[in-house]
Structure formats: structure tokens, C-alpha cells
Amino acid sequence: MSDGTATTTDLDVRLEKHRVELTGYCYRMLGSSFEAEDAVQDTMVRAWRSYDKFEGRSSMRSWLYRIATNVCLDMLNAGNKRARPMDLTAPSPLAQAALTPRPDNTWLEPMPDARVLPTVTDPAEAAVAKESVRLAFMAALQQLPPKQRAVLILREVLAWKASEVAELLGTSVASVNSALQRARATLAESDGTEAATSDPLDEEQQKLLERYVAAFEGYDMTALTALLHEDAIMTMPPFDLWLRGTDDITGFMTTLGAACAGSRLVPVEVNGLPGFAQYKPDEEAGGYIPWAVQVLEISKGRITGFHCFLDTARWFPLFGLPLRLEAETDQVQ
């Protein structure tokens, strides 16, 4: 192996070490799993091509974040803000429920924890990282102008110093502090109720999830109602329909959603929250086929949010999930 090849391999390894944390950063910036991965790939390519100009005045990590920030700001120039259904419309009464899809680039997208949460030893740091990819926080971030978003993530989530952020953005410390103050004020007004999920889940939350799986797989609406908060919200991107309250949610599940009866749930770790891959019965071939990635928000012993991402052709491969469960398979370990 030549020295040149060895150097190239070494650089690839050094860049790759930062992939997960950079993906987490770009995901928080962009609100899209696939755009985040594209942005990180673009960052890696730009870093590789311009490495001979990297003079080591900052750490490689800071240099990569600078490139990633520029990539994200360029992508955000289109002005698109990712959203949840309840950010766009009022809830629909069940009697008026209609499944109207909107384009993919409308929606805040789910993300597997493993792709955006680096392994850290400090429990407090791990908890902050998880909280910062939860759906309510991600939706609030989308309300910020792009540079404020970058400042808030770098300062509050990644704990960079104001001077480091100022250098990265090519601006002053005063400007960074001002942007952070404005970003905090916007987030304080945001109406997203944060899911109060322990990390790791406490015994009560584990039992709640076990009861949820039993109720959903048994399609037992009485049992499900007992687990849902009275003002629980159900969303189903890419449809803009969302429902509030146990009556409308269970009413939907037994009418328009009746084909989900007999489904199987497989646990997934998604957006720092408990989640499940839902497989519904394949009436023609037997077994089970992908239907949704469910993300659950829990607070005070009840499920407050029940978010079903239905574009399974995109989500199941992203989560490394099989595209079929055989009839005799009750659970995937």
C-alpha cells in the first residue's frame, strides 16, 4: 500500500468517526432524515476534496461542523420548513375525517436514534441529545430562521462556547448571543408539549408500553382508551389529517383505520422516544406487511401523542426493518 493510499484511508477513518454526530446536527437543522444524510455526505465529500487546505488552526470536528453548517444553510435557502400535521391545520372531527396527502417535503421526518445519537458516557449529555431530537423540539426548531437554528443547536444542544460559534459562523460573539436570545424567546412561545419520557424508560413507562402493545395488537379500544390521555393527538403523515381525543382516535381506528386490526408491533428507537414498526395483516399472501413507524409521546403515565409515519417504502429500510413478517412470527427480536 502506498503512502498516498494509507493517508487516504486514514482520512476516511477520521472523517467517518464524526458521521453520527454530524447527521444529528444536520437532522436538527433540516428536519428530514434523508436530507440530513445527503448533507453529511456532501460535507464529507467537500472535506475530502479540500483537506489539503485544512491548516489545523481549528480541530477537525470544528472544521467539519463549519462545512456542514454551510451545506445546511444552502439547503435551507429554499425556505422550506418541515412541519407536523398540527402545525398546519386544525384537528378534524371524525365525521369530517379525510385522508389528504401533502408532498413529502412538507413533513418533519422520523429518524432512528442510532443514526443521530452518538454513544456518550455522560448520562446528562445523553439525555440532552435525546430530548433535542424529539418531535416537539424538532418542530419548534423549524420555526426558527436558519442561522438562529444553527446558533441554538450549537450553543444549547452541543454546548459550544459563544466564541466558537461566532468563529464557525464568521460573526461576532454579540451577534451569536443576540441570535440565541431571540431563538430562546421563539421556543418559549412554541406550543409543543414535551414528552416526559425517562431515559432509560422507568418501570411504569415500560409497563405502559407493554399494555399499549397488548391493546393495539388485540385492537381493544377500551384498553387503548385507558392508556391515552383524554387530549391525546394522533397524526398520520403524509396525510394532513390529525385527530384529538380518545373518542375520535378510537373511532377512526375502527372505521377508516379498521384494516389495522390484527397488526403486529416491533419495537424501534426513534427520535429519542419509544416507537414501533407496525405490520398489518397481508390479506392476500398471509403474514404481515409494513404499514407505519409509530412514535409515542408519554407524559404522566399516559400516551399523549401517537404519530404514525406511513411511507413505509422509505422508513422501513431506514430503520433496517424487514419488509415482511411471516404468519408464525409473533415478534422480531
Side-chain angles (χ1 to χ4, degrees), residues 173-195:
V173 169
S175 173
V176 166
N177 288 336
S178 172
L180 180 60
Q181 198 173 3
R182 292 198 304 277
R184 282 174 174 162
T186 302
L187 286 190
E189 290 168 8
S190 120
D191 138 27
T193 307
E194 192 47 88

Side-chain angles (χ1 to χ4, degrees), residues 211-212 214-216 220-228:
R211 290 167 63 203
Y212 170 75
F216 194 95
D220 180 341
M221 295 301 130
T222 303
L224 189 62
T225 298
L227 304 178
L228 294 173

